[in-house]
Structures are given as structure tokens and as C-alpha cells.
Amino acid sequence: MTRDLLTPVDPAVPRLADAVGFEPSADGASWLVSVDGVPVSRASDAVAAALRAMDGVATLDDLRRRFAPDQTPEAFGALVERFRRAGLLRGAERRTAGRLTYRPPLTVQFATLRAPVLFARLHRVLRPVLRRALLWPLAVLVLAGVVALVAQAPMVAEALTSPLPLNELLLIAVVLVCATVAHEAAHGVTLTHGGARPRRAGFMLLYLGPAFFVDVTDAWRLPSRAARVAVALAGPAVHAVLAGAAALAALAVTDADLRRTLLVLACACATVVAVNLVPFVRFDGYIALMSALDEPNLRARTMADAAEGLRRLLFGGERSTRALDRWWSVPFGILSVVVPTVIVWLAIERAIRALAGTGPVGAFLVLALQAVVVIAVGAGVARWVARCWRLGRGRLRFLTLIGALLAASVALAALVPVDDVRTMGFATTDDGVTLVVPAGATGEGAVAIAGGRSVDLSSSGILADAHLVAGRTRAASLREATVPLTAFSPVALDEVVVDALVVGRVDVPAGTTLPSAGRAGVHLGTRSLLEAVWATHVAVPASLLVASLLPPSPDSKEDR
């Protein structure tokens, strides 16, 4: 190691990191600050000059007097701390994104670094059709598709709430994968068409789901905000056009199965567009908003403001300069934390339901997904708590408030009652309607249901469930059976049955017509929120996984 690298970093004498560079923005009104050639921020002439002057010799006070004499030492120190968090200063350097990159809280990227060459070639092929005149016909197509979906609303509802045959599901999945590739390619081609270049592209796991990505950070080099917004919205435009085309095609076809496939595809693409435009997650809508406002690192800065606001509210301490000087910074930062949390929670809930009938493998996946979320979120919370410990007013206040918040959270979860609804499957036979759970279920899942309980029977849809009828349970002895796959899954496979355990029967009104299988929600009364979450997310999948690892009891079948 060189002597320079061994020298301790003094926060009071900042030094610019070696990988930081400066270049004038396209409009000449500011400077682009880059790390290893990747733009990370915009800076005014004064801020750029202050950064260049950070040579490891000039102190913070010297720099403040030279470049920001009107600011207080605290405000200037907060500005320098922002530089440090952005990785611009020695000792706080960040590793440049490469082939494998983790981005908090829940994103892992696998990339190729040949993206500039690949998109340059693709741009040469598509350049003849990249004309503004094409935008109007495509916009008309999207609007016509919206009208077509509204006109077919009853058929849309039936398609989304019914099991989908495997061949149709596979076809939709293949089309969606191709559309996602085209979505990301549109980002890269639009960026290349504007004169910049995408650095990386590849596959990633984003909030527990697989996706593709293209790194369009170089969009900050484009000359106008409109050009940067166009890069961000080019991807959703692909899904919007596909949704409109599928909805219009569904109006024209006469085959019922093909119409159902097209309607589900149109709704899936429309959902992708809607989710992508949410500005509180690092999706395309956020990139478009950030570009339109010309505010780099918008989410990180607003979340920092929200965290600082909450810290001061709870634990006191000195007021810090805002990372984003806008009135909506704190509420935007709060939503930037809450919305991704809700998305992840809904994804986990849906995964639990989808994997309920897949045995020990599904139980393992449910537990593993939740463990990843707890570790990722817990790390961020731990960093915030540590900062509150350092900057708060008094250790006693800190410990008292933390203890009170933990106790109140546990007490609230233990006291708030929620409906105890046990989700299982139902199957229709010549003898009536039976309640079933996956074979191998243990603990609460393998207990016979008492008579007289209210139960709601619904379809098992690919995107939603439709209520069919309400009934009452009738006690029955536990027994093994085989049932259609749709009792536990929204995928319909003719002639395919799965092993199950009958735990009760259902009395429904005379003359009720039901499908061969579907979902059942049995109302068992109420229990605390804590008990419900523990049972659904931990106890049930853990017991199923443990039971699969233990040798079977010799008399287990006789007991049944």
C-alpha cells in the first residue's frame, strides 16, 4: 500500500476522491459530477469549485469562508456530509456498479458491460422508424385499447377471477417476458438516439420479483429535461401499446379461449404500466419525475429528510440542513419508504397464497423470502437507530422512547382483534362440497373444522378471486382424498389431481352451481393480529417444512 492510502481520513479536512470527475452539462448552466465516468449529481459553479478545492489541506472552515460565507458552519458541514454520502470524498468511495451489484433494500443485478455496443447496433436497425410522427398513432391505439377494456368489463372480470389453463398461462408469460425485454430495450434505444449511452444491462431480482434492466444514468448528459423524461417513459410506452393492441384484438376474435388470453394479457400489461408510473419506488415513473424536476437522487434525499425529521421529532438534537429544499420533501420521503414496504408485503402475501399447495418446497420459499426482507429492512432500521443514538438529546430519552415504542407495538399487535379466516381449498363431489388442505399439512392446518362456521367459497383466479357463495361448515372426520389442482392453485390442468386432506364439509343453498374446485375462507372467530401474522407467516410454513424433514410416525395413518 502507498503511504497516501494509509493516511487516516480527517472529516474536518475533506479530500475529493480520485475517481470523481467534472464535465459541463449539455445546457452549460451547471456541472455534471461523475464517479468513474458515471454521472451521480449536478452542481452549480460554486459547488463544483468547492469540490475541486477539497485537497486534503483546506479545512471545512477555510472552504466555507471561500465558497459559502453566507452559510453557517452547520449548514456547510451538512452539505459536505451529502458529498460524503454520495461517495465523492476520500474514505467514502463507493464501488462502481459492475456485473454483479446489490442495491438496497431488495435489488440484485446481473449485468453485461457490453450494453453500449449492443444498443448502438440496435439503434442503427431501428433508427428509420424512430420518428415523432409515430407517437400520435400509438397514442390513439392506447386510448382505443382503454375504451375496448371498459366495453368488455364483464368478460375482463371473469377472465381475471377464473383459473387459467396452463397453455394460456405459459403463452402470456412468454409474451410478457418478451415485452419486458422490449421495454428495457426501448429505454436503451431512446437514450442512444438522444446521444448518450447505456452503460449496463441485464437481469435483476427487484423486490422479490425477476425483471430486466438497463442503466440509463447517462441520461443526465442529455441536453433537455424532456429528452430525459422520454428515456424514462419509453419503457412503459411499450407495455401500454401492447395492452391497447391486445384489448382491441379481444374485441375482434370469436374464440372464447383466445379472447380470455388476450384480455388477461392486456390487463397484465396495463398493470405493469400503472406500477411502473408510481413515483415512490425506483421505477420509471420515479425516473421521469426526477428528470422533469432536474433533481438527482430524489428518493435518497427525501428519505434522508424524512429520517432526520422523525429523528428530531422523537429524540431531539440539532436541526440539519435539508437534502432537498422543497416543502414536499418529508412527505415524499415517507411515501418512498411506505409504498415499497406495502408492495413487498403484498408480494409476500400473494406468494404465501400461491405457494400454499406446493408442500415443503413452497414452505421453504415463503420462509426464505421473508428472511431476506427482514434482514434487508432490519439493516436500514439499525443504521437509523444508531444515528439517533449518536445525535439525540440524551441516552435516557433514547432508551425510554425505544422501549416504549417496542412495548406499544407488541401490545397493539397482541390486543388488536382481526378476523380469524382460515384459507383452504374446496372440492365439489357427488357427496357435496368438502373443505381440503394440502396433504402433509400439520399443526392448525390439519385440524378438523367444527360445524356451524361461516365459510365463503370463491373462484381461484390468476389475478383475483370472485366470491361465489356463502355457506356453513359441517363437521367431518379427517380423511385423505385427491382433488383438482384448482383447489390450491389458479392454474387449471385437465385430468390433474393432487393429494389433499379433507377437514370438513360445507352446506350451501340448494341449487347452487359451483366449479369443481376453488378457494374457501372459513371464519373461525377472531384472534390477535400478532397470532394471525405468526401463524400465517411463520408457524404454518415452518411446521410443514419441519414435518417433511422428520421421519413419519408408524401409527400416523392409523390415527387418521
Side-chain angles (χ1 to χ4, degrees), residues 216-451:
V216 294
T217 310
D218 263 25
W220 289 111
R221 291 192 167 97
L222 296 181
S224 68
R225 300 185 186 188
R228 296 193 290 272
V229 172
V231 172
L233 297 183
V238 170
H239 275 96
V241 169
L242 180 57
L248 289 173
L251 275 178
V253 301
T254 57
D255 183 78
D257 291 341
L258 180 57
R259 180 186 298 113
R260 177 178 58 201
T261 302
L262 290 169
L263 289 176
V264 173
L265 176 61
C267 291
C269 289
T271 301
V272 171
V273 175
V275 172
N276 257 270
L277 295 181
V278 173
F280 307 111
V281 191
R282 197 182 292 273
F283 293 156
D284 297 329
Y286 161 70
I287 303 297
L289 177 63
M290 183 174 62
S291 301
L293 296 175
D294 202 22
E295 293 284 3
N297 303 314
L298 182 62
R299 286 184 72 250
R301 293 160 66 189
T302 57
M303 287 192 292
D305 287 341
E308 285 299 290
L310 183 60
R311 176 188 65 78
R312 288 192 67 254
L313 177 66
L314 295 177
F315 305 106
E318 297 295 330
R319 180 185 296 273
S320 59
T321 303
R322 283 209 175 172
L324 181 69
D325 188 19
R326 293 180 183 263
W327 68 266
W328 45 263
S329 178
V330 170
F332 191 94
I334 293 173
L335 288 172
S336 295
V337 174
V338 172
V339 172
T341 302
V342 171
I343 290 176
V344 171
W345 178 266
L346 293 176
I348 291 176
E349 291 292 328
R350 190 67 184 178
I352 289 175
R353 293 190 62 184
L355 297 171
T358 57
V361 174
F364 172 78
L365 290 176
V366 166
L367 294 173
L369 287 176
Q370 294 179 117
V372 169
V373 172
V374 168
I375 292 172
V377 174
V381 173
R383 287 192 295 269
W384 178 76
V385 171
R387 182 173 176 80
C388 294
W389 172 265
R390 293 195 312 270
L391 303 179
R393 291 185 184 275
R395 308 294 193 208
L396 179 60
R397 176 177 177 174
F398 176 86
L399 294 175
T400 301
L401 276 174
I402 288 293
L405 288 173
L406 290 175
S409 299
V410 173
L412 189 65
L415 295 177
V416 171
V418 296
D419 288 336
D420 184 6
V421 180
R422 192 75 49 80
T423 300
M424 53 189 67
F426 77 84
T428 305
T429 65
D430 294 337
D431 298 331
V433 182
T434 59
L435 293 172
V436 294
V437 297
T442 59
E444 289 184 335
V447 176
I449 301 298

Side-chain angles (χ1 to χ4, degrees), residues 7-92:
T7 303
V9 175
D10 185 355
V13 187
R15 179 174 178 178
L16 198 65
D18 294 336
V20 175
F22 300 87
E23 59 183 278
S25 62
D27 56 11
S30 59
W31 291 88
L32 287 178
V33 184
S34 61
V35 177
D36 283 331
V38 182
V40 297
S41 182
R42 282 178 176 263
S44 64
D45 290 340
V47 171
L51 280 168
R52 289 192 178 98
M54 294 180 183
D55 55 5
V57 176
T59 65
L60 282 178
D61 196 48
D62 294 335
L63 293 167
R64 182 186 67 81
R65 286 199 302 267
R66 289 173 57 191
F67 300 102
D70 57 329
Q71 291 192 10
T72 64
E74 293 76 15
F76 189 76
L79 177 63
V80 174
E81 181 59 28
R82 281 177 52 191
F83 297 154
R84 194 179 308 280
R85 289 199 300 266
L88 302 181
L89 302 183
R90 175 70 65 85

